[in-house]
Amino acid sequence: MKKLLLFACLLITSLAFNQTIIIQVNEVQSFYGDPTWSIEQVVNDPYFVESPRRVNVKYIINFNTGVVKFYRDGEMTEETPVQILTQDGVSIVKILESGFDIGLLIDLRFESESVTFYEIYSNFISYQIEYMKFTDFQIVRPS
């Protein structure tokens, strides 16, 4: 009986501290601008903006283990470590890939829930940032 009670307590504790969110993305729109600008400046006055496009992608982010799993059309295509910084309900999920500055800006506040992917990159022609706003998405917090 004691073992069963101990197991139940451990299971409840494990579930209570499970900090995983799932982001299902159905549509995105990309905005390009100067990497020294804020996200608002890039979105309001971009160098270039793309039309919204339909996608079928999902991010599963585990805040406890610092890992994100990426799915495209139902198939997991990548599992990578992340660095997560959360302040005032907004999380910056930096994807730790060598040589890249990419990640997600996730606002989990009820009144302003939003998700934006960012990528800072340079090539021989330019140095710019892409903000990909998720315009149709759902955030699921497993219970």
Side-chain angles (χ1 to χ4, degrees):
M1 184 68 170
K2 287 182 184 179
K3 288 183 181 179
L4 182 59
L5 184 59
L6 177 63
F7 176 74
C9 288
L10 289 173
L11 180 63
I12 290 169
T13 303
S14 165
L15 292 174
F17 291 106
N18 184 7
Q19 297 259 335
T20 299
I21 64 169
I22 300 167
I23 304 171
Q24 175 63 48
V25 186
N26 304 308
E27 184 180 83
V28 298
Q29 184 174 20
S30 292
F31 299 81
Y32 300 86
D34 189 303
T36 62
W37 295 355
S38 70
I39 186 171
E40 291 83 14
Q41 289 173 301
V42 172
V43 170
N44 291 330
D45 189 23
Y47 290 161
F48 176 74
V49 63
E50 293 180 354
S51 297
R53 63 188 182 282
R54 300 298 294 171
V55 296
N56 180 14
V57 299
K58 177 171 48 175
Y59 295 86
I60 299 177
I61 304 165
N62 188 317
F63 283 72
N64 291 337
T65 61
V67 171
V68 63
K69 294 179 182 178
F70 177 75
Y71 293 78
R72 183 180 306 276
D73 298 323
E75 303 238 352
M76 187 172 81
T77 60
E78 189 172 352
E79 181 175 351
T80 187
V82 292
Q83 179 181 33
I84 302 169
L85 173 67
T86 302
Q87 183 176 354
D88 299 327
V90 178
S91 295
I92 299 171
V93 179
K94 186 172 182 161
I95 299 170
L96 301 175
E97 288 192 27
S98 178
F100 297 98
D101 190 355
I102 59 177
L104 296 166
L105 305 172
I106 305 170
D107 187 340
L108 295 175
R109 295 174 293 184
F110 180 73
E111 69 279 358
S112 60
E113 195 171 74
S114 67
V115 183
T116 303
F117 173 87
Y118 71 88
E119 178 177 11
I120 299 174
Y121 57 91
S122 63
N123 57 31
F124 297 110
I125 300 168
S126 67
Y127 177 61
Q128 61 187 4
I129 190 164
E130 174 188 7
Y131 285 114
M132 185 186 308
K133 291 190 69 65
F134 295 0
T135 53
D136 179 10
F137 66 95
Q138 295 83 40
I139 296 177
V140 179
R141 295 170 187 90
S143 51

